[in-house]
Each structure stands twice: as C-alpha cells, then as structure tokens.
C-alpha cells in the first residue's frame, strides 16, 4: 500500500481514474467496478513479472552464485535507491510510454487495459521494492509463490486506487 504514495505514483491517481471514466457524477458502484478492473489489470502485469522471474530463477539459478551477477544486482539496487531519493532521474523510454498511454479508455475493458499499462508505467517508480520482490521470487524457484506475491503487491498498490475511485465524488 505504501508504494502507492511514491512521488510518481500518487500524482497519477486522479489522472488515471479520470481516464478510465471514474467521475463525481457516476454511481459509487460504477466507480468501484472501474477501479477494481484497473487493479486487476495491474495484478495481471505484476503476476506475469513474478512468474517470469521464477522461470528465470529456475533456469538461471546458478548465476546467483556468481560474484559478478551479485555485484550487478547490488548495483541495480543502488541505482534504484538513488532514483527513489531523486538523486538520479529514471524514466520509461518515450516510445514505450506513448504506446502504453494509448491503451485503456473508458469502461471495464479500458480500465483493465489501463491497469496493465499502469503496471508497466509504475514499475520504475516502485523499482527498489519490485526489484527485491522479483529477486526473491527468482531465488525461491516457486512459480505459485511468485504469482501470489506479486498479485498481493498489485492489490496493495491498487487499494488506494479502489478507495479513491469508489469515493471519488465525495473526495
């Protein structure tokens, strides 16, 4: 849940909700449904990342015993930490951002597709947490653990979207 409050996820909250069709003039039930579909889209993205990390961990587990690979992982965490403290600026490439922003639209399907793209767009913002989760999943070599762990991560991130989306008119 706390990862939703990062400086690059929190400002996306009202914009994303408006793009998928949440509004103060809508019924609370409608807004809730759209916010849930957005969260489900994020869950699909993160669950795929978790499963992919497990597959890579299973096939490439011997690499985690190599000093160079461990050094690169440490370097990755240092770069992500520096980005989190805004010492450096990381951004998704412009062509990929433009492609992901064309997904989505109004309605349940649009909200679901927006959630899928939101998962990719928010990934750099929550990079240190996401990187740690993916590395852990890769080391455990358990596909179900990876799937469930990243689904729960997405549900935690989506909780704020669901709350704000549901009570959008009142807030």
């Amino acid at each position: 849940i706390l990862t939703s409050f990062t400086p690059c996820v929190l400002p996306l909250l009202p914009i994303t909700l408006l793009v998928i069709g949440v509004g103060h003039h809508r019924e609370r039930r409608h807004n809730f449904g759209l916010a849930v579909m957005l969260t489900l889209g994020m869950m699909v993205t993160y669950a795929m990342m978790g499963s992919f990390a497990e597959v890579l961990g299973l096939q490439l587990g011997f690499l985690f015993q190599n000093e160079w690979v461990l050094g690169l992982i440490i370097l990755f965490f240092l770069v992500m930490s520096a980005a989190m403290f805004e010492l450096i600026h990381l951004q998704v490439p412009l062509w990929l951002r433009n492609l992901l922003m064309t997904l989505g639209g109004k309605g349940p399907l649009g909200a679901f597709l927006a959630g899928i793209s939101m998962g990719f767009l928010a990934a750099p913002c929550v990079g240190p947490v996401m990187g740690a989760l993916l590395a852990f999943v890769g080391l455990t070599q358990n596909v179900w653990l990876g799937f469930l762990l990243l689904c729960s991560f997405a549900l935690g991130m989506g909780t704020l979207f669901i709350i704000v989306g549901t009570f959008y008119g009142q807030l």
Side-chain angles (χ1 to χ4, degrees), residues 48-58 133-135 137-139:
M48 286 183 347
M49 286 182 185
S51 299
F52 186 67
E54 187 280 327
V55 168
L56 282 180
L58 184 62
L133 287 174
L134 292 176
V137 168
L139 289 172

Side-chain angles (χ1 to χ4, degrees), residues 83-104:
M84 194 170 185
F85 289 113
E86 297 182 7
L87 298 174
I88 61 173
H89 186 67
L90 293 179
Q91 243 180 313
V92 176
L94 183 61
W95 65 270
L96 184 56
R97 271 188 294 159
N98 290 338
L99 174 70
L100 293 174
M101 286 178 16
T102 61
L103 295 176

